[in-house]
């Protein structure tokens, strides 16, 4: 992974990089998450608050891709890089709905 940011409602120390840099989250407002009409997490306001911070920070402009992952997800950057390589330089949106479980084309799109 060439770069990352962690977003959280509380300031915390998350660790130290191999280069000795302290990792702390970018703070966002604390936003309640309920249940939507379809029984999934009603977290649209939370996502909007995070994306507002992502855009305001501007670091995403330094990279080929910006990927949002859930806190309980595992991100394997080299696998995503391999699958996204054909789209380098393009504007693409990868649907993440777990619609294709088991598909070799979407191995990184499994929900928690």
């Amino acid at each position: 992974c060439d770069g990352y940011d962690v977003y959280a409602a509380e300031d915390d120390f998350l660790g130290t990089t191999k280069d000795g840099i302290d990792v702390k989250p970018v703070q966002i407002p604390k936003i309640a998450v309920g249940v939507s009409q379809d029984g999934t997490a009603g977290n649209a306001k939370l996502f909007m608050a995070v994306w507002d911070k992502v855009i305001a920070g501007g670091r995403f402009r330094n990279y080929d891709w910006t990927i949002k992952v859930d806190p309980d997800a595992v991100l394997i950057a080299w696998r995503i890089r391999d699958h996204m390589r054909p789209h380098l330089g393009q504007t693409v949106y990868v649907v993440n709905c777990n619609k294709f479980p088991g598909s070799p084309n979407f191995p990184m799109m499994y929900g928690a």
Side-chain angles (χ1 to χ4, degrees):
C1 188
D2 297 325
Y4 61 88
D5 280 321
V6 178
Y7 297 85
E10 297 178 14
D11 191 24
D12 200 355
F13 173 72
L14 303 174
T16 305
T17 67
K18 64 181 179 180
D19 301 327
I21 299 169
D22 289 350
V23 179
K24 298 185 89 173
V26 175
Q27 284 195 266
I28 59 167
K30 188 166 187 148
I31 297 172
V33 174
V35 177
S36 67
Q37 291 179 346
D38 65 357
T40 60
N43 50 10
K45 288 183 181 180
L46 176 61
F47 284 171
M48 290 176 3
V50 171
W51 282 111
D52 285 346
K53 288 285 189 169
V54 169
I55 292 166
R59 291 186 67 223
F60 71 96
R61 298 182 198 286
N62 300 326
Y63 304 98
D64 292 317
W65 305 289
T66 299
I67 301 171
K68 178 252 172 224
V69 296
D70 289 338
D72 59 350
V74 175
L75 177 82
I76 304 172
W78 67 266
R79 290 198 62 194
I80 292 171
R81 185 178 288 120
D82 286 349
H83 286 278
M84 295 303 292
R85 194 175 321 280
H87 306 289
L88 188 62
Q90 301 175 12
T91 300
V92 297
Y93 176 78
V94 178
V95 177
N96 180 9
C97 62
N98 205 24
K99 187 174 181 179
F100 307 102
S103 169
N105 297 321
F106 298 94
M108 68 290 207
M109 300 299 163
Y110 297 138

